[in-house]
């Protein structure tokens, strides 16, 4: 009886994690589409912009932090998938 409950728990957990990844992928796709639309709009209406140095520096700092966050997210997703596989194997 315990093994049946354990198997049901694992299956439920796998479904929840899978649904989370699907939602996450869906929002990523939405984000990509929004970025493409904005880039198309900007490319159709070119205008030269000169940023103040402090604003440009802050922007570059934020982009570096974003890159770090994306790398960390990638590592977390890989770890989560490994955990799911280990749970499935046991």
């Amino acid at each position: 009886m315990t093994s049946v409950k354990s198997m049901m728990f694992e299956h439920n957990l796998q479904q929840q994690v899978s649904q989370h990844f699907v939602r996450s992928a869906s929002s990523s796709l939405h984000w990509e589409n929004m970025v493409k639309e904005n880039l198309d709009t900007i490319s159709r209406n070119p205008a030269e912009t000169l940023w103040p140095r402090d604003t440009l520096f802050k922007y570059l700092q934020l982009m570096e932090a974003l890159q770090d966050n994306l790398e960390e997210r990638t590592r977390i997703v890989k770890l989560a998938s490994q955990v799911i596989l280990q749970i499935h194997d046991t």
Side-chain angles (χ1 to χ4, degrees):
M1 185 86 167
T2 309
S3 62
V4 172
K5 286 183 180 180
S6 175
M7 289 173 51
M8 289 177 64
F9 175 75
E10 287 178 19
H11 180 69
N12 187 22
L13 179 64
Q14 289 171 358
Q15 284 181 333
Q16 288 177 354
V17 172
S18 295
Q19 289 172 355
H20 175 73
F21 285 144
V22 167
R23 282 193 302 267
S24 186
S26 174
S27 65
S28 294
L29 183 59
H30 174 69
W31 173 256
E32 288 177 24
N33 289 334
M34 188 171 27
V35 168
K36 286 178 186 177
E37 289 173 8
N38 286 330
L39 287 175
D40 289 343
T41 302
I42 290 171
S43 65
R44 279 182 290 197
N45 304 317
E48 191 168 324
T49 304
L50 183 62
W51 289 20
R53 285 183 185 215
D54 61 332
T55 305
L56 182 60
F57 183 69
K58 182 65 176 171
Y59 173 79
L60 292 174
Q61 285 180 323
L62 290 172
M63 290 298 106
E64 184 178 7
L66 177 62
Q67 181 65 32
D68 291 342
N69 289 342
L70 290 172
E71 290 171 0
E72 185 176 358
R73 181 185 183 275
T74 302
R75 286 193 305 265
I76 290 171
V77 168
K78 284 182 182 178
L79 285 172
S81 65
Q82 289 174 351
V83 167
I84 291 170
L85 288 173
Q86 287 177 355
I87 289 172
H88 182 67
D89 289 343
T90 57

